[in-house]
Amino acid sequence: MTNLIDGKTIAEKVYVDLREKIAELKSRGVTPGLAVVLVGDDPASRAYVRSKDKMSRELGLHSVKLELPANTTQQELLGKVAELNRDPKVHGILVQSPPPKQIDEAAVIRALDPRKDVDGFHPENVAKLALGDETGFVPCTPLGIQRLLIESKIDISGAHVVVLGRSMIVGKPIALLLMQKGKGGDATVTVAHSRTKNLEAITRSADIVIAAIGRAHFVKAGHVRDGVVVIDVGINRVEDATNARGYRLVGDVDFENVAPKAKAITPVPGGVGPMTIAMLMSNTVKACRQSLK
Ligand code: GUN
């Protein structure tokens, strides 16, 4: 029988642990602070930023939500980042991606204080992940996926994990994370992408498939073997006239088609999504604790 991996329930467990850590910090007179910066008015980005701000408040964090107009210049944005870098009440900073096209995103990421880079996108944190230095920040979605697998008691050690997608946000960091030595690691990882030949033969040899390619319902039953574990990172809008919003969200995996073959699978929504926000909160608490050392 297919086991549904419930990201909401697992995220709740993370919050129980985080609330304790936050209370302990507050008893020492320190409130973890998170700044979320949105440039422009992309509706999906706006929704993500709103939910990050809401969760920060629910946990009692100091939350700063900066909404800047779509015509914000690079200099203006760098000025805001510099201010947040200096602000002692802010321990974590996130600039929502993707920014408008006049913004050089890589330069903005380099301008972040790496000790406040709770997204784990700064080159110093990317290097720390590759090096296995645990003082760094790991991007939230990969960290959430690893936690989902651990909490669901999926064997990662020695498993063949096939990652679909090679982005800096998901594909590359999840590969690094799961191949690390030790708990939550020791996997044999293959990273496949749009140029990969014989994709189905590769995914069919996987014990765990992680789909992060941004194409609705790309992964079908023919891509996987019986007993596979499937993690669906996709959040794609597809038109749906029966839905009041005119669209619905679907993953990169054709759930109905694949689920009968899977030992365990994440739904969309309610799988990876809630874990990503939980890991952002967790990274913010970590940044705060490390700032006290
Ligand atoms: N856009 C999509 N995912 C992310 C993320 O994890 N962090 C940021 N900053 N932007 C995103």
Side-chain angles (χ1 to χ4, degrees), residues 94-97 119 121:
L94 174 146
V95 181
Q96 186 65 30
S97 180
D119 254 334
F121 295 166

Side-chain angles (χ1 to χ4, degrees), residues 13-125:
K13 264 182 85 171
V14 173
Y15 290 128
V16 169
D17 173 48
L18 279 183
R19 282 181 197 277
E20 241 176 62
K21 288 187 170 136
I22 294 163
E24 193 265 329
L25 284 162
K26 287 193 171 181
S27 74
R28 292 159 68 184
V30 188
T31 300
L34 173 65
V36 186
V37 183
L38 172 69
V39 188
D41 39 31
D42 175 68
S45 291
R46 188 174 285 279
Y48 293 139
V49 164
R50 205 181 305 126
S51 45
K52 289 166 186 173
D53 174 57
K54 185 166 166 259
M55 187 48 73
S56 298
R57 289 173 194 280
E58 271 180 40
L59 292 175
L61 304 190
H62 169 63
S63 179
V64 178
K65 185 170 68 158
L66 269 187
E67 293 183 291
L68 305 175
N71 63 359
T72 300
T73 65
Q74 179 80 6
Q75 279 315 309
E76 284 166 339
L77 181 55
L78 290 175
K80 293 291 180 195
V81 166
E83 264 176 46
L84 295 169
N85 280 343
R86 283 192 300 270
D87 187 340
K89 286 197 183 128
V90 169
H91 303 95
I93 307 170
L94 174 146
V95 181
Q96 186 65 30
S97 180
K101 44 184 184 315
Q102 77 276 13
I103 300 295
D104 175 353
E105 190 176 11
V108 174
I109 290 168
R110 281 196 303 274
L112 291 168
D113 181 336
R115 293 167 300 181
K116 296 190 177 188
D117 167 38
V118 285
D119 254 334
F121 295 166
H122 189 284
E124 189 170 312
N125 286 315

